[in-house]
Amino acid sequence: MGERDLIRAFERMLGVRGERVVYATGDDAAVVRAGGASVTSVDAIVEGVHFELATHSPGDVGHKALAVALSDLAAMGARPGEAYVVLGAPATFGEPAAVELVESMEALAERSGITIAGGDVTAAPVLILSVTVVGWAGGERDVAYRDGARPGHLVGVTGALGGSTAGLLVLEGLDAELAPAEREALIRRHRRPEPQLRIGAALAGAVVGAMIDVSDGIATDAGHVAERSGVCVEVRLADLPLAPGVEAVARAAGRDPLELAATGGDDYELLLTVSPARREVVESAARAAGTQVTWVGSVVAGAGARLVGIDGEVVELTGYEHP
Amino acid sequence: MGERDLIRAFERMLGVRGERVVYATGDDAAVVRAGGASVTSVDAIVEGVHFELATHSPGDVGHKALAVALSDLAAMGARPGEAYVVLGAPATFGEPAAVELVESMEALAERSGITIAGGDVTAAPVLILSVTVVGWAGGERDVAYRDGARPGHLVGVTGALGGSTAGLLVLEGLDAELAPAEREALIRRHRRPEPQLRIGAALAGAVVGAMIDVSDGIATDAGHVAERSGVCVEVRLADLPLAPGVEAVARAAGRDPLELAATGGDDYELLLTVSPARREVVESAARAAGTQVTWVGSVVAGAGARLVGIDGEVVELTGYEHP
């Protein structure tokens, strides 16, 4: 099956959602009714760099590529709009695998209310997916940025941390004392991360200061907020919400569970700062979106991220380098 | 130099053009003031599939990746807006080559009035560039589509054809009788194609029927218009405008120059159909944009592209398969 036939097979699989998309695939470009502000991000994942086909099915890869890109829209608080997908694959990857990959991507698109409105298919020496996502907001002031953290703000994080890295360690063969359901949940967390679109939009509406998705580990991502905002973001390690099973995995790996939670990437939760006066607005927005916010630190004058240990001492962590 | 440092180096090289872009690089996503209709296309080029570093410098590759994507905006008649670039490269590609690649892309962006507003950098086994471009139009009716060809329309093409394929044959070592300037022009045509943005926007304004860019060869692209419009697009081979030097290259290669012009891809001219009443409007729009339109056929009832030879017979060409 040639690339053109594969593209047509994909086109038949993809649905158009909402009234915004005028023309999706089939022309030189997609045409979308626009207004307010558009919010655009692009992310690529490469076999052998960001995932291995030994631990990820084609469906996992498709899901992950779209989820990672959508997580950036969540971090801006944008409403999901359209995705544009480049699929590069060697001939050995095969048509059934490509179809499984796109089906999984389309399932996440449907749940997220996004339309896969265009793309490109090409030969490549390894599997590579590049996903551009476009979200929409009423205007540029309705979006949450990294530069809005101010001294005095509380620092919160949605959901729980460390689950993705713990899941990867289990996938790589680590023998941890886990109940079967816990083990499955950790692996799923790594293979099928969920972009926090609903809470992201709710938090942008609750006028948070700064917001970012936790893709590189909260230690690194707090540093990004600190740098862009010109402040110091202090994070109390002992207050980090650990995903169930992270302690057992850390024990088996001989690592500190809090360090694992602080530096392990790919959780795709949201880190936010907000004026203490808005603490309850944020908490109830989180509840309404089916999740919760844990308060893990505060913004102070200074620079960089500062991780504070149980005894109040500043902790130096070995940085996790996101590929 | 790590990926993060490289991204920052790129950010310093990139300019923001116009009033539309609110936030470019540096946050989770770019934020752009939107309105009317957005027109979005994505294209990827891969080393060993679409180009070889033996015949293309890093600057050529950067230019080509952006030019190919912008050509889709030209075909829709959209005003250029923003580009989002994924650069995947092996460590051996090196930082100076990556900088040369981005400089060349930025030079084309500046000439085209487009802002490179975001991107991603990743390790990859070969050089790969994925470029998403966003253009803007007053509304969905101000865009030219592939499905607007109607029986009775004239078929026109901008500029000249066959130059890119002739340039590739010369690059691959073909010994053709060419003046040095002609040889250089053909090679440049292949390495540095120019997206026809100005004439594309003018033609959409002149209310053409259908429009498409000639990326796969006019024989194939006329077929795309025919299929989407539900008509037959007849192209007279003898009327195709040949780029200077194409005849000499075709002679040296033992090929028919008209066949080379009809099936050779990567010219990135525009193919259009228009009611005969608008013929002069199109011609003067082309002149104003610094190019010309050659009338090469007509739209009739039926299906598919029909290539007509010098004696009026229908010609069957071996299809050129675009990677």
Side-chain angles (χ1 to χ4, degrees):
Chain A
M1 185 179 252
E3 276 152 31
R4 266 181 214 298
D5 294 326
L6 204 51
I7 289 173
R8 292 198 185 182
F10 293 159
E11 286 172 4
R12 285 190 295 271
M13 291 163 60
L14 302 176
V16 172
R17 291 168 194 102
E19 301 298 311
R20 196 181 278 282
V21 177
V22 182
Y23 272 71
T25 53
D27 215 301
D28 289 296
V31 178
V32 174
R33 291 184 194 102
S38 69
V39 179
T40 306
S41 181
V42 59
D43 275 290
I45 62 173
V46 179
E47 180 188 347
V49 179
H50 303 89
F51 65 90
E52 300 289 348
L53 284 173
T55 52
H56 288 70
S57 72
D60 293 335
V61 177
H63 176 101
K64 186 167 183 157
L66 181 56
V68 168
L70 287 175
S71 182
D72 285 322
L73 295 189
M76 306 295 283
R79 293 190 304 274
E82 298 76 45
Y84 303 89
V85 177
V86 171
L87 168 63
T92 51
F93 189 63
E95 186 206 323
V99 167
E100 182 193 332
L101 185 154
V102 173
E103 273 173 352
S104 163
M105 199 173 257
E106 173 69 358
L108 176 58
E110 183 161 25
R111 271 191 292 131
S112 307
I114 199 162
T115 299
I116 300 176
D120 195 8
V121 174
T122 176
V126 296
L127 184 59
I128 176 164
L129 274 164
S130 171
V131 179
T132 305
V133 286
V134 181
W136 299 92
E140 62 205 70
R141 289 171 194 280
D142 301 306
V143 177
Y145 299 92
R146 293 181 179 182
D147 65 2
R150 299 287 173 268
H153 276 187
L154 300 174
V155 176
V157 66
T158 63
L161 300 177
S164 178
T165 299
L168 178 60
L169 290 170
V170 168
L171 274 172
E172 288 176 348
L174 183 76
D175 186 22
E177 279 180 49
L178 293 165
E182 219 171 40
R183 186 175 188 280
E184 279 315 300
L186 288 177
I187 289 175
R188 186 169 179 82
R189 181 80 195 208
H190 181 71
R191 283 183 173 149
R192 303 265 174 154
E194 278 296 317
Q196 301 296 312
L197 288 161
R198 206 167 149 215
I199 177 68
L203 290 174
V207 201
V208 294
M211 194 150 68
I212 188 171
D213 68 326
V214 184
S215 55
D216 298 347
I218 197 170
T220 300
D221 293 312
H224 293 322
V225 168
E227 186 190 343
R228 294 283 294 185
S229 298
V231 296
C232 172
V233 176
E234 212 171 72
V235 173
R236 299 181 300 268
L237 281 178
D239 290 341
L240 294 182
L242 298 186
V246 167
E247 289 209 55
V249 168
R251 202 159 45 233
R255 290 178 65 178
D256 177 347
L258 293 171
E259 191 209 59
L260 191 151
T263 59
D266 291 334
D267 279 320
Y268 302 106
E269 296 292 350
L270 299 178
L271 176 69
L272 61 108
T273 81
V274 71
S275 151
R278 296 210 182 88
R279 176 181 176 139
E280 274 158 35
V281 179
V282 165
E283 287 173 354
S284 74
R287 270 193 304 274
T291 182
Q292 86 282 343
V293 167
T294 306
W295 302 106
V296 298
S298 49
V299 180
V300 296
R306 184 189 297 156
L307 301 178
V308 180
I310 292 171
D311 305 324
E313 83 285 19
V314 173
V315 180
E316 291 292 335
L317 295 177
T318 314
Y320 166 89
E321 181 64 15
H322 189 65
Chain B
M1 184 178 255
E3 275 153 30
R4 266 181 215 297
D5 294 326
L6 203 52
I7 288 172
R8 290 193 188 188
F10 293 160
E11 285 173 5
R12 286 191 293 272
M13 291 163 59
L14 302 176
V16 172
R17 290 169 195 101
E19 301 299 309
R20 197 180 279 281
V21 177
V22 182
Y23 272 71
T25 53
D27 215 302
D28 288 296
V31 178
V32 174
R33 292 185 193 100
S38 68
V39 179
T40 305
S41 181
V42 58
D43 276 290
I45 63 172
V46 180
E47 180 188 347
V49 179
H50 302 90
F51 65 89
E52 301 288 347
L53 285 174
T55 52
H56 288 70
S57 71
D60 292 336
V61 176
H63 176 101
K64 186 168 182 157
L66 181 56
V68 167
L70 287 175
S71 182
D72 285 322
L73 295 189
M76 306 295 283
R79 293 189 304 274
E82 297 77 43
Y84 303 89
V85 177
V86 171
L87 168 62
T92 52
F93 189 63
E95 187 207 323
V99 167
E100 182 193 330
L101 185 154
V102 173
E103 273 173 352
S104 163
M105 201 173 254
E106 173 69 358
L108 176 58
E110 183 161 25
R111 270 190 293 131
S112 306
I114 200 163
T115 299
I116 300 176
D120 195 8
V121 173
T122 176
V126 297
L127 185 60
I128 176 162
L129 274 165
S130 171
V131 179
T132 305
V133 286
V134 181
W136 299 92
E140 62 205 70
R141 289 171 193 280
D142 301 306
V143 178
Y145 300 92
R146 293 181 178 182
D147 65 2
R150 299 288 174 267
H153 277 187
L154 301 175
V155 176
V157 66
T158 62
L161 300 176
S164 178
T165 299
L168 176 61
L169 290 170
V170 168
L171 274 173
E172 288 175 346
L174 184 76
D175 186 23
E177 278 180 48
L178 292 166
E182 219 171 42
R183 186 174 188 280
E184 279 316 300
L186 289 177
I187 289 175
R188 186 168 179 83
R189 182 79 196 211
H190 182 71
R191 283 183 173 150
R192 303 265 174 152
E194 278 297 316
Q196 301 296 312
L197 288 161
R198 207 168 149 216
I199 177 69
L203 290 173
V207 201
V208 294
M211 192 149 70
I212 189 171
D213 68 325
V214 184
S215 55
D216 298 346
I218 197 171
T220 300
D221 293 312
H224 294 321
V225 168
E227 186 189 345
R228 294 281 295 184
S229 298
V231 295
C232 173
V233 177
E234 212 171 73
V235 173
R236 298 179 302 268
L237 281 178
D239 291 340
L240 294 183
L242 298 185
V246 167
E247 289 210 55
V249 168
R251 203 160 43 232
R255 290 178 64 178
D256 177 347
L258 293 172
E259 191 209 57
L260 190 151
T263 60
D266 292 333
D267 280 319
Y268 301 106
E269 296 291 350
L270 299 177
L271 176 69
L272 62 107
T273 81
V274 71
S275 150
R278 296 210 181 87
R279 176 181 176 138
E280 274 159 34
V281 178
V282 165
E283 287 173 353
S284 74
R287 269 193 305 274
T291 183
Q292 86 281 342
V293 166
T294 305
W295 301 106
V296 299
S298 48
V299 180
V300 296
R306 185 189 296 156
L307 302 178
V308 180
I310 292 171
D311 306 326
E313 82 285 20
V314 173
V315 179
E316 292 293 336
L317 294 177
T318 313
Y320 165 89
E321 181 64 15
H322 190 64

